Amino acid sequence: MLSLNNKNIILGITGGIAAYKSAELCRLLIKAGAQVRVVMTQAAQEFITPLTMQSLSGNRVHTQLLDTEAEAAMGHIELARWADLILVAPASANFMAQLAHGEAHDLLTTLCVASRSPLAIAPAMNQAMWSNTATQQNLQTLQQNGIHIFGPDAGAQACGDIGLGRMQEPQQLAEQSAALFETGVLAGLNVVITAGPTREAVDPVRFISNHSSGKMGYALARAAVDAGAKVTLVSGPTNLPPPAGVDFIAVESALQMLAACEARTADIFIGVAAVADYRPAQAAQQKIKKSHETLSLELVRNPDILATIATSNPRPFCVGFAAETENLAHNAQQKLQNKKLDMIIANDAEATFGHDHASAIALWMGGEETFTQQSKEQLARCIIELIASRMQSTR
Ligand code: C5P
């Protein structure tokens, strides 16, 4: 899945007929989780209106270098610092020439000179202009300067010519932009995370569940996305919005959670969900009436999702969580062995459930690491780092 989660992208548009495709590109970048600010040259505005790009990006479009109003809101240096990536699509022959020579005479060229972020351009021009010696020399300079060149494609051109010079399609440009960020510790790996409680139906209106908020699992999903992983979050009912950039699967019961997990292939499996250990043997078809003084419910054991995944073939790197009320390290060590896990994260159930902060001990065969009390977001990032380094040393 395409992920540009939390990435700030300046989408530069120069004057060329392919500028109409920049609207779709902007939409795709945002859909992948990026914040987009659009910068248009004078000529670009002849092809597509700033209003279109403002509506799609949700931000004011920047067109002027010396604009007192714009400088008061987000000046050009601030804008250059804000960007994690500058993507210029389409990039005209004229723009390439200016960029190759370090010119800074309008807002877009100035941003390119002022920014330390990666810069990618998607050239788009007539095939004769593309093959022109000066353009090819500029291209070489840009490549030598570390600028990423996306395309161009070959094919039919707006002017009727056929050849090299078509701008790459928006989907391809969005994918290549995302690939530039795939440098995290989990880059390219599939991670499946379970989170939240499960609900085990007693009858159509009642269920057995627990107090799990899902906060830790959701924080881990965000941290794994930021580390470059492709993340599937299989979640029981929580009050949290699905994190951006994850493949989100909502489930209710333990059996549904197990089925969703088994349907995915994972390089890393992290079981954070507080799965109900038992479910009613038979959920009543109709609402149970209070006609008797006592009521007995027969419960049957739920499958252990984590232990099931840990014995699957091929087997992912398996990480469990153990929320304990006593003998934290000892009980967690037992679970590490019984469930045949690669790592277990143990924490105090009462101090963890529903809270925004937690401390934890990570245990694996032959080692451990203690994490002091900190926000679950912070703790999640530490755990992801540790998983990546343990995985590397065991495989
Ligand atoms: O045995 P216990 O429930 O304490 O183990 C906790 C760990 O096992 C957690 O990682 C939890 O997500 C996982 N688990 C599971 N399926 C169950 C019970 C626990 O995946 N039925």
Side-chain angles (χ1 to χ4, degrees), residues 5 24 29 49 54 59 67 93 110 145 173 211 220 227 251 253 261 267 282 290 305 312 327 345 356 370 372 378 384:
N5 205 23
E24 173 68 355
L29 296 174
T49 70
Q54 177 177 306
N59 286 310
D67 174 349
T110 304
N145 292 351
L173 292 175
H211 289 298
L220 276 161
V251 296
S253 67
C261 294
D267 301 298
Q282 198 94 53
K290 50 175 183 281
I305 300 169
S312 64
N327 300 330
I345 315 293
D356 291 330
T370 302
T372 54
Q378 185 90 41
I384 289 295

Side-chain angles (χ1 to χ4, degrees), residues 194 271-273 275 277 303-306 320-321 335 339:
T194 66
V272 198
V275 184
D277 291 323
D304 192 305
I305 300 169
L306 186 55
F321 270 70
K335 282 177 194 173
K339 299 191 191 216

Side-chain angles (χ1 to χ4, degrees), residues 91 131 175 180 242 260 282 294 300:
S131 56
E175 280 168 13
L180 292 179
Q282 198 94 53
T294 59
V300 292

Side-chain angles (χ1 to χ4, degrees), residues 326-362:
E326 56 183 352
N327 300 330
L328 196 64
H330 173 76
N331 288 339
Q333 190 75 47
Q334 291 287 306
K335 282 177 194 173
L336 178 73
Q337 285 166 22
N338 294 345
K339 299 191 191 216
K340 300 187 169 55
L341 306 179
D342 296 286
M343 188 191 291
I344 193 151
I345 315 293
N347 41 31
D348 181 330
E350 282 156 68
T352 300
F353 264 49
H355 295 280
D356 291 330
H357 289 73
S359 59
I361 311 171

